[in-house]
Amino acid sequence: MNAEMLWLGLGFLGQSLFSMRFLVQWWASERCKRSVVPLAFWYFSLAGGAALLAYAVYRADPVFIVGQLGGLVIYARNLHLISRERRRTAGVHGREPA
């Protein structure tokens, strides 16, 4: 296996992770019978976006790079806000933060 095949594999892995977030979101919404965005959605977004960004940098595609870079900032910020909210909620209810 050469380097080109490894990069192609990383690109497909990133795209698969990125697509999984929609299945996770759909599954969670169907279970709750309302639209929800589970924590796993943001982790799949971050992992898939990071892999796709690496692939885009290797391919030297500025459109793809800018698109994934912007998304990574948003995914990381959402995970940070969720973490902060959980710590705050745990403090209100007298539980130790996880």
Side-chain angles (χ1 to χ4, degrees), residues 7-21 44-45 47-53 55 64 68:
W7 279 109
L8 190 60
L10 179 65
F12 277 119
L13 174 66
Q15 189 59 54
S16 297
L17 291 171
F18 210 67
S19 297
M20 277 298 298
R21 66 193 189 134
F44 274 113
S45 298
L52 288 173
L53 177 62
Y55 183 73
F64 200 20
Q68 291 302 318

Side-chain angles (χ1 to χ4, degrees), residues 11-87:
F12 277 119
L13 174 66
Q15 189 59 54
S16 297
L17 291 171
F18 210 67
S19 297
M20 277 298 298
R21 66 193 189 134
F22 292 115
L23 295 176
V24 167
Q25 193 276 330
W26 179 35
W27 180 73
S29 295
E30 290 294 332
R31 285 188 66 195
C32 293
K33 304 296 182 205
R34 63 183 172 86
S35 181
V36 296
V37 179
L39 185 60
F41 178 90
W42 298 114
Y43 281 114
F44 274 113
S45 298
L46 193 63
L52 288 173
L53 177 62
Y55 183 73
V57 168
Y58 172 73
R59 293 287 179 195
D61 183 332
V63 174
F64 200 20
I65 291 169
V66 169
Q68 291 302 318
L69 200 55
L72 285 176
V73 170
I74 294 167
Y75 312 144
R77 180 65 178 154
N78 274 297
L79 284 168
H80 174 73
L81 291 173
I82 291 167
S83 175
R84 190 168 65 186
E85 178 67 20
R86 286 184 170 189
R87 282 194 309 272

